[in-house]
Coordinates of all heavy atoms in Angstrom, one line a residue:
I210 N -10.1 -28.2 8.8 CA -9.4 -27.6 9.9 C -10.0 -28.1 11.2 O -11.2 -28.0 11.4 CB -9.4 -26.1 9.8 CG1 -8.4 -25.7 8.6 CG2 -8.9 -25.4 11.1 CD1 -8.3 -24.2 8.3
D211 N -9.2 -28.5 12.1 CA -9.6 -29.0 13.4 C -9.9 -27.8 14.4 O -10.9 -27.7 15.0 CB -8.5 -29.9 14.0 CG -8.9 -30.4 15.4 OD1 -9.7 -31.3 15.5 OD2 -8.4 -29.9 16.4
H212 N -8.9 -26.9 14.4 CA -9.1 -25.7 15.2 C -8.0 -24.7 14.9 O -7.0 -25.0 14.3 CB -9.2 -26.0 16.7 CG -7.8 -26.3 17.3 ND1 -7.3 -27.5 17.4 CD2 -6.9 -25.5 17.9 CE1 -6.1 -27.5 17.9 NE2 -5.8 -26.2 18.3
I213 N -8.2 -23.5 15.4 CA -7.2 -22.4 15.1 C -6.9 -21.7 16.5 O -7.9 -21.4 17.2 CB -7.8 -21.4 14.1 CG1 -8.0 -22.0 12.7 CG2 -6.8 -20.2 14.0 CD1 -8.3 -21.1 11.6
Q214 N -5.7 -21.5 16.7 CA -5.3 -20.8 17.9 C -4.6 -19.4 17.5 O -3.9 -19.3 16.6 CB -4.2 -21.6 18.7 CG -4.6 -22.9 19.1 CD -3.5 -23.7 19.9 OE1 -2.5 -23.1 20.3 NE2 -3.8 -25.0 20.0
I215 N -5.0 -18.4 18.3 CA -4.4 -17.1 18.1 C -3.8 -16.6 19.4 O -4.5 -16.5 20.4 CB -5.4 -16.0 17.6 CG1 -6.1 -16.5 16.3 CG2 -4.8 -14.7 17.4 CD1 -7.3 -15.7 15.9
T216 N -2.5 -16.5 19.5 CA -1.8 -16.1 20.7 C -1.1 -14.8 20.6 O -0.4 -14.6 19.6 CB -0.8 -17.2 21.0 OG1 -1.4 -18.5 21.3 CG2 0.1 -16.9 22.3
H217 N -1.3 -14.0 21.6 CA -0.4 -12.8 21.8 C 0.2 -12.9 23.2 O -0.6 -12.6 24.2 CB -1.2 -11.5 21.6 CG -0.3 -10.3 21.8 ND1 0.4 -9.6 20.9 CD2 -0.1 -9.6 23.0 CE1 1.1 -8.6 21.4 NE2 0.8 -8.6 22.7
V248 N -7.6 -10.2 14.1 CA -6.8 -11.2 13.5 C -7.7 -12.4 13.1 O -7.7 -13.0 12.0 CB -5.7 -11.7 14.4 CG1 -4.9 -12.9 13.8 CG2 -4.7 -10.6 14.6
L252 N -8.5 -14.0 9.4 CA -8.3 -15.4 9.1 C -9.5 -16.1 8.6 O -9.5 -17.0 7.8 CB -7.9 -16.2 10.4 CG -6.4 -15.9 10.9 CD1 -6.3 -16.5 12.3 CD2 -5.4 -16.6 10.0
P337 N -13.5 -24.6 16.6 CA -13.2 -23.7 17.6 C -12.0 -22.8 17.3 O -11.0 -23.2 16.7 CB -12.8 -24.5 18.8 CG -12.7 -25.9 18.3 CD -13.2 -26.0 16.9
F338 N -12.1 -21.5 17.6 CA -11.0 -20.5 17.5 C -10.6 -20.2 19.0 O -11.5 -19.8 19.7 CB -11.5 -19.2 16.8 CG -11.6 -19.4 15.3 CD1 -12.6 -20.1 14.8 CD2 -10.7 -18.7 14.5 CE1 -12.7 -20.2 13.4 CE2 -10.8 -18.8 13.1 CZ -11.8 -19.6 12.5
Y339 N -9.4 -20.5 19.3 CA -8.9 -20.2 20.7 C -8.1 -19.0 20.7 O -7.1 -18.9 20.0 CB -8.1 -21.4 21.2 CG -8.9 -22.7 21.3 CD1 -8.8 -23.6 20.2 CD2 -9.7 -23.0 22.3 CE1 -9.5 -24.8 20.3 CE2 -10.4 -24.2 22.4 CZ -10.3 -25.1 21.4 OH -11.0 -26.3 21.4
L340 N -8.5 -18.0 21.4 CA -7.8 -16.7 21.5 C -7.2 -16.6 22.9 O -7.9 -16.8 23.9 CB -8.7 -15.5 21.2 CG -9.1 -15.1 19.8 CD1 -9.6 -16.3 19.0 CD2 -10.1 -14.0 19.8
R341 N -5.9 -16.2 23.0 CA -5.4 -16.0 24.3 C -4.3 -14.9 24.3 O -3.6 -14.7 23.3 CB -4.8 -17.2 24.9 CG -3.5 -17.6 24.3 CD -2.8 -18.7 25.0 NE -1.8 -19.2 24.1 CZ -0.8 -19.9 24.4 NH1 -0.5 -20.2 25.7 NH2 0.1 -20.4 23.5
L352 N 1.4 -15.5 17.5 CA 1.4 -16.5 16.4 C 0.0 -17.0 16.2 O -0.9 -16.9 17.1 CB 2.3 -17.7 16.7 CG 2.0 -18.7 17.8 CD1 2.1 -20.1 17.2 CD2 2.9 -18.5 18.9
V353 N -0.2 -17.5 15.0 CA -1.5 -18.2 14.6 C -1.1 -19.6 14.4 O -0.1 -19.9 13.7 CB -2.0 -17.5 13.3 CG1 -3.2 -18.4 12.8 CG2 -2.5 -16.1 13.6
A354 N -1.8 -20.5 15.0 CA -1.5 -22.0 14.8 C -2.8 -22.6 14.3 O -3.8 -22.6 14.9 CB -1.1 -22.6 16.1
V355 N -2.7 -23.2 13.1 CA -3.9 -23.8 12.5 C -3.7 -25.3 12.5 O -2.7 -25.8 11.9 CB -4.1 -23.3 11.0 CG1 -5.3 -24.0 10.4 CG2 -4.1 -21.8 11.0
R356 N -4.5 -26.0 13.2 CA -4.3 -27.5 13.2 C -5.3 -28.1 12.2 O -6.5 -27.9 12.3 CB -4.5 -28.0 14.6 CG -4.2 -29.5 14.6 CD -4.3 -30.1 16.0 NE -5.1 -31.3 16.0 CZ -5.3 -32.1 17.1 NH1 -4.7 -31.8 18.2 NH2 -6.0 -33.1 17.0
W377 N 0.1 -29.0 10.9 CA -0.1 -27.7 11.5 C 0.4 -26.7 10.5 O 1.5 -26.9 9.9 CB 0.7 -27.5 12.8 CG 0.2 -28.1 14.0 CD1 0.5 -29.4 14.4 CD2 -0.6 -27.6 15.0 NE1 -0.1 -29.6 15.6 CE2 -0.8 -28.5 16.0 CE3 -1.3 -26.3 15.1 CZ2 -1.6 -28.3 17.1 CZ3 -2.0 -26.1 16.3 CH2 -2.2 -27.1 17.3
L378 N -0.3 -25.6 10.4 CA 0.3 -24.4 9.7 C 0.5 -23.3 10.8 O -0.4 -23.0 11.5 CB -0.8 -23.9 8.7 CG -0.4 -22.5 8.0 CD1 0.8 -22.7 7.1 CD2 -1.5 -21.9 7.2
L379 N 1.7 -22.9 10.9 CA 2.0 -21.9 11.9 C 2.5 -20.6 11.3 O 3.3 -20.6 10.4 CB 3.2 -22.4 12.8 CG 2.9 -23.8 13.4 CD1 4.1 -24.5 13.8 CD2 2.0 -23.5 14.6
I380 N 1.8 -19.5 11.7 CA 2.2 -18.2 11.1 C 2.7 -17.3 12.3 O 1.9 -17.0 13.2 CB 0.9 -17.6 10.5 CG1 0.3 -18.6 9.5 CG2 1.3 -16.3 9.8 CD1 -1.1 -18.1 9.0
E479 N -5.8 -24.8 30.0 CA -5.9 -25.9 29.2 C -7.3 -26.5 29.2 O -7.7 -27.2 28.2 CB -4.9 -27.0 29.7 CG -3.4 -26.7 29.6 CD -2.9 -26.7 28.1 OE1 -3.5 -27.3 27.3 OE2 -1.8 -26.1 27.9
F482 N -9.8 -26.5 26.2 CA -9.8 -27.5 25.1 C -10.8 -28.7 25.4 O -10.9 -29.6 24.6 CB -8.4 -28.0 24.9 CG -7.5 -27.0 24.4 CD1 -6.5 -26.5 25.2 CD2 -7.6 -26.5 23.1 CE1 -5.6 -25.5 24.7 CE2 -6.8 -25.5 22.6 CZ -5.8 -25.0 23.4
R487 N -6.1 -31.6 22.3 CA -5.6 -30.3 21.9 C -4.9 -29.7 23.0 O -5.1 -29.9 24.2 CB -6.8 -29.4 21.5 CG -7.6 -29.9 20.3 CD -8.8 -29.0 20.1 NE -9.6 -29.6 19.0 CZ -10.9 -29.4 18.9 NH1 -11.6 -28.8 19.8 NH2 -11.6 -29.9 17.9
A488 N -3.9 -28.9 22.7 CA -3.1 -28.1 23.7 C -2.6 -26.8 23.1 O -2.5 -26.7 21.8 CB -2.0 -29.0 24.2
W489 N -2.2 -25.9 23.9 CA -1.7 -24.6 23.3 C -0.4 -24.8 22.7 O 0.5 -25.5 23.2 CB -1.5 -23.6 24.5 CG -2.8 -23.1 25.1 CD1 -3.3 -23.3 26.3 CD2 -3.8 -22.2 24.5 NE1 -4.5 -22.7 26.5 CE2 -4.8 -22.0 25.4 CE3 -3.9 -21.6 23.2 CZ2 -5.9 -21.2 25.1 CZ3 -5.0 -20.8 23.0 CH2 -6.0 -20.6 23.9
R490 N -0.2 -24.1 21.5 CA 1.1 -24.0 20.9 C 1.7 -22.7 21.4 O 1.2 -21.7 21.1 CB 0.9 -24.0 19.4 CG 0.4 -25.2 18.7 CD 1.4 -26.3 18.6 NE 2.7 -26.0 18.1 CZ 3.2 -26.7 17.1 NH1 2.6 -27.6 16.5 NH2 4.5 -26.3 16.7
H491 N 2.8 -22.8 22.0 CA 3.4 -21.6 22.5 C 4.4 -21.0 21.5 O 4.7 -19.8 21.6 CB 4.2 -21.9 23.8 CG 3.3 -22.4 24.9 ND1 2.0 -21.9 25.2 CD2 3.4 -23.4 25.8 CE1 1.5 -22.5 26.2 NE2 2.3 -23.5 26.6
T492 N 5.1 -21.9 20.8 CA 6.1 -21.4 19.9 C 5.9 -22.0 18.5 O 5.0 -22.8 18.2 CB 7.5 -21.8 20.3 OG1 7.6 -23.2 20.1 CG2 7.7 -21.5 21.8
G497 N 6.2 -27.3 20.0 CA 5.7 -26.0 20.3 C 4.9 -25.8 21.6 O 4.6 -24.7 22.0

Side-chain angles (χ1 to χ4, degrees):
I210 290 182
D211 178 76
H212 75 272
I213 296 185
Q214 300 179 14
I215 303 169
T216 294
H217 174 91
V248 174
L252 286 167
F338 283 71
Y339 299 99
L340 278 52
R341 74 170 161 160
L352 72 132
V353 170
V355 180
R356 184 173 133 176
W377 285 88
L378 173 70
L379 300 159
I380 305 168
E479 295 285 341
F482 295 109
R487 297 172 185 153
W489 289 111
R490 294 284 312 232
H491 301 316
T492 72

